Amino acid sequence: MSLPGTWRDHLAALAACQPWPRYYHFRAGEMEVAAALCRLPRGETMLELGCGNAFHSYLLAGRFRRVIATDLAAPDPVTHTIGLDRARRLAEILGVDNLRLVAASAAALPVADESVDFVFSSNVLEHVHDQARAVAEIRRVLRPGGRCLTIVPAAMERVYNFPVSYAAIVHGMLKGLRRHAATDPPPSNGRGLDLGGGEAAGGSLAGRARRFLGRHYPTFPFPKPHGEYPSSTAEMLAHRASRWRRLFTSGGLEIERTFTTILAPHNLGLAFSFGTAYWIARAGWPLTRRLGALPGFRALGTSFALMARRPAGGAA
């Protein structure tokens, strides 16, 4: 049974379901931009890849009679999967009665051929090892003429991530120095400066700093890749708009529209807090709604959104 009000009326109950602070405000704002820049379809069945806590499925549920939200069943920090427990809780709190949760990977969907009108995913494909296989699965489950909307990071997101990563390193080291100053002389258990990461004491300050970097930032001076890539540089190149487009066209889908949902450099705010990142994104959304589909502005965005269609004719 659907509950009265919207997600905003249940924020206290939903707090435990969100992966990071201001998540609901951030993703709802992004979806409002997407709705302004492309025509979101309606239909019989929708499927979400990598649903996380299924908040996107909730936002889109009113457009479809059935919603299938898929993700890996258990939390996995390697793939940034939070499991399906939070999705179950969110559906209970918000009373999403047309939602079915299914444990599945994006590369192997337990859904019949040509049975879905719309496939949605947000910040999922960068965590999938075989992205071509995932796109093939999207095409397989879509009915002829069915559409998919995919939101992924853009190359500029990695560019902006460089100063954020360095800020995080400096913050961790300063935190360790404060602990070091507070334990002078060193405690009797032999532990001294841990540089914020629990490294054992011993050796010079420079040596401890190197151990800190080796443990927490093994790719220093480059940021760690966030997705399924060998390096941050490889990730940035993989997130070029031309490469995302080629991935979908090679998979037999026709691209109808591309745009960015976040024109402002929001992830620079992550050097301070998730809330700061949200307010930077929000400040840029009015401009994004007007200019986010224009090539010059789209290239500056931190996200890349692609609406594609399975051709009405041709083999399955």
Side-chain angles (χ1 to χ4, degrees):
M1 178 182 296
S2 297
L3 298 181
T6 68
W7 61 272
R8 295 178 185 273
D9 301 306
H10 303 280
L11 280 174
L14 290 169
C17 302
Q18 66 180 350
W20 32 267
R22 306 293 296 192
Y23 174 87
Y24 301 112
H25 300 81
F26 191 97
R27 294 307 184 199
E30 232 188 331
M31 285 302 299
E32 289 173 3
V33 172
L37 291 173
C38 71
R39 185 176 179 180
L40 295 176
R42 296 180 181 272
E44 187 75 9
T45 304
M46 171 198 145
L47 182 144
E48 182 178 3
L49 297 181
C51 68
N53 67 358
F55 183 60
H56 286 108
S57 287
Y58 158 76
L59 293 175
L60 294 164
R63 295 176 168 270
F64 300 89
R65 196 165 80 86
R66 290 188 300 271
V67 177
I68 304 168
T70 69
D71 209 330
L72 301 180
D76 183 353
V78 175
T79 59
H80 295 261
T81 302
I82 63 173
L84 288 175
D85 286 344
R86 296 191 203 183
R88 293 188 186 95
R89 180 61 180 147
L90 182 140
E92 292 171 0
I93 293 170
L94 296 176
V96 192
D97 48 16
N98 63 337
L99 173 65
R100 180 165 68 97
L101 297 172
V102 177
S105 73
L109 297 171
V111 178
D113 295 357
E114 301 183 3
S115 61
V116 174
D117 298 294
F118 180 58
V119 174
F120 175 82
S121 69
S122 173
N123 295 276
V124 172
L125 283 187
E126 69 271 22
H127 300 295
V128 176
H129 179 71
D130 192 343
Q131 295 175 350
R133 178 61 185 166
V135 172
E137 281 291 272
I138 291 174
R139 187 186 187 279
R140 179 185 68 79
V141 303
L142 279 175
R143 293 190 176 99
R147 289 173 169 80
C148 70
L149 174 60
T150 302
I151 303 174
V152 287
M156 286 302 295
E157 188 270 342
R158 287 288 92 188
V159 173
Y160 293 134
N161 192 57
F162 272 77
V164 175
S165 294
Y166 297 143
I169 292 171
V170 171
H171 179 267
M173 288 188 168
L174 290 177
K175 184 177 178 181
L177 288 172
R178 286 196 298 269
R179 292 181 182 178
H180 179 64
T183 57
D184 188 16
S188 59
N189 64 3
R191 295 190 64 81
L193 173 63
D194 68 359
L195 290 172
E199 283 74 13
S204 66
L205 183 64
R208 296 173 193 173
R210 285 195 297 271
R211 289 196 294 274
F212 170 81
L213 291 173
R215 176 174 177 179
H216 298 284
Y217 296 90
T219 59
F220 183 82
F222 297 99
K224 292 184 293 185
H226 178 70
E228 192 70 18
Y229 305 96
S231 68
S232 187
T233 302
E235 185 170 32
M236 181 172 63
L237 293 174
H239 290 181
R240 291 172 297 163
S242 60
R243 191 261 173 182
W244 286 125
R245 292 175 64 96
R246 186 166 60 251
L247 178 67
F248 279 79
T249 55
S250 298
L253 296 169
E254 296 176 348
I255 297 174
E256 295 185 331
R257 191 165 180 79
T258 58
F259 54 93
T260 183
T261 59
I262 312 174
L263 189 53
H266 79 286
N267 54 331
L268 290 177
L270 292 175
F272 303 97
S273 68
F274 285 105
T276 304
Y278 164 70
W279 286 108
I280 291 174
R282 177 172 173 169
W285 276 331
L287 189 65
T288 309
R289 291 187 188 96
R290 294 174 61 88
L291 304 175
L294 299 179
F297 289 93
R298 184 189 63 216
L300 298 175
T302 58
S303 72
F304 179 74
L306 179 151
M307 179 71 86
R309 171 179 175 271
R310 175 172 171 170

